[in-house]
Amino acid sequence: MIQIKRAAILLFAGILFNTVSFAQGLKVAAAANLQAIIEVLQKDFKQKTGIEIEPIIGSSGKLVAQIKNGAPFDVFLSADMDFPQGLFKDGLSTKEPVVYAYGSLIICSSQDIGFENWERILLTERVKKIAIANPAVAPYGLAAEELLKKKGILNNVKNKIVTGESIAQVNTYVTTGVVEVGFTTQALVKDPANKTKLYWKVIDPKRYAPIQQGIVVLKRAEKNPDAEKFYQYILSADAKRIFEQYGYRVQ
């Protein structure tokens, strides 16, 4: 009788553990530029598979630092290829990263200041603050810095630059009017949840290195079939259509 009770307790504990594990879902580390779109992808993926994902949003560089420090993430959606490639070289992912989308950089403002000659406008007194994401950890910030260098005005506007921790913080600066201008992702103006009227212009992609956004399944999820399902979903035609709706380019 005692053995039967023990077996029953162990069986119940196993069921409880599995239920809790399922309820927690996949932990997906996602670059801050995906903040708006990840909810749409999350709903579509759950509808197709019944699998829940738990997104953790942050700058790509900071997410990588957390992964290296043992953060329990299953999949990493980066805003570039360098960060996930580094994880692969360090043996922290199951295979090399692949590109799931190409980012689109825009110049954006909550004020109608005109962007036909935006390089000149940035040099005027009308623009006192320019937001870009931290180039050290945010690929969109790196692209913005590269753009300003190529335009030959980075040194002229350095004292106006406000650095956001991530592209999400840049978006907050722009939509709340804390800065006159910000360099951000086109996904911001495509987001139906954004209620702020914005004025913007797409930056010629030839002016900065392609923003190749990469995905990897992390080593801790190597034997988790749900992680592979989400990986394959992000590369699917259905997910690509959603990315396109938010201003990303896909192949």
Side-chain angles (χ1 to χ4, degrees):
M1 181 65 71
I2 293 174
Q3 289 180 336
I4 293 173
K5 284 183 179 180
R6 284 178 179 172
I9 291 170
L10 290 172
L11 177 62
F12 176 76
I15 292 171
L16 181 63
F17 176 78
N18 288 333
T19 302
V20 170
S21 297
F22 177 79
Q24 288 177 341
L26 286 175
K27 287 183 169 59
V28 176
N33 70 285
L34 300 173
Q35 188 166 32
I37 194 174
I38 196 69
E39 292 183 12
V40 182
L41 294 167
Q42 180 180 16
K43 288 177 183 177
D44 189 52
F45 180 64
K46 183 181 178 182
Q47 186 177 27
K48 287 178 168 58
T49 65
I51 300 167
E52 290 270 10
I53 72 163
E54 179 188 339
I56 299 91
I57 308 294
S59 65
S60 296
K62 290 201 171 183
L63 289 171
V64 165
Q66 291 173 33
I67 292 166
K68 289 182 176 180
N69 285 324
F73 304 150
D74 299 299
V75 180
F76 176 42
L77 292 167
S78 180
D80 73 348
M81 287 291 282
D82 290 341
F83 284 126
Q85 187 66 47
L87 291 176
F88 172 70
K89 288 180 179 178
D90 290 342
L92 296 174
S93 71
T94 59
K95 51 190 171 185
E96 288 194 73
V98 296
V99 176
Y100 63 88
Y102 293 83
S104 179
L105 186 69
I106 65 169
I107 184 169
C108 187
S109 176
S110 59
Q111 303 174 25
D112 187 8
I113 59 178
F115 286 129
E116 290 307 312
N117 295 299
W118 61 264
E119 302 96 320
R120 292 181 183 179
I121 292 169
L122 295 189
L123 298 172
T124 67
E125 286 297 318
R126 189 169 184 183
V127 174
K128 295 178 174 59
K129 293 180 182 177
I130 304 164
I132 70 169
N134 183 352
V137 295
Y140 279 80
L142 186 63
E145 186 178 69
E146 180 187 356
L147 170 70
L148 293 172
K149 282 180 182 176
K150 285 187 176 179
K151 290 289 185 179
I153 61 172
L154 180 61
N155 290 332
N156 301 92
V157 300
K158 260 188 176 177
N159 62 333
K160 298 183 179 185
I161 290 177
V162 176
T163 303
E165 181 180 318
S166 67
I167 206 69
Q169 191 168 54
V170 170
N171 291 346
T172 300
Y173 290 157
V174 171
T175 55
T176 57
V178 171
V179 299
E180 286 78 20
V181 170
F183 288 94
T184 185
T185 167
Q186 193 176 351
L188 170 64
V189 296
K190 298 288 185 178
D191 181 7
N194 172 53
K195 303 304 179 185
T196 305
K197 183 173 178 58
L198 296 172
Y199 302 87
W200 55 284
K201 181 178 181 179
V202 175
I203 300 297
D204 182 353
K206 294 178 183 177
R207 297 292 183 180
Y208 56 90
I211 304 175
Q212 296 178 308
Q213 305 204 183
I215 181 173
V216 285
V217 174
L218 298 170
K219 204 71 174 178
R220 74 180 296 274
E222 188 172 19
K223 295 181 180 179
N224 185 343
D226 289 351
E228 181 63 24
K229 285 178 184 176
F230 183 70
Y231 174 87
Q232 294 299 335
Y233 165 75
I234 291 296
L235 302 178
S236 72
D238 288 339
K240 286 180 178 181
R241 277 193 289 271
I242 294 172
F243 278 112
E244 287 181 320
Q245 289 169 10
Y246 279 75
Y248 294 90
R249 292 180 294 112
V250 297
Q251 289 183 349

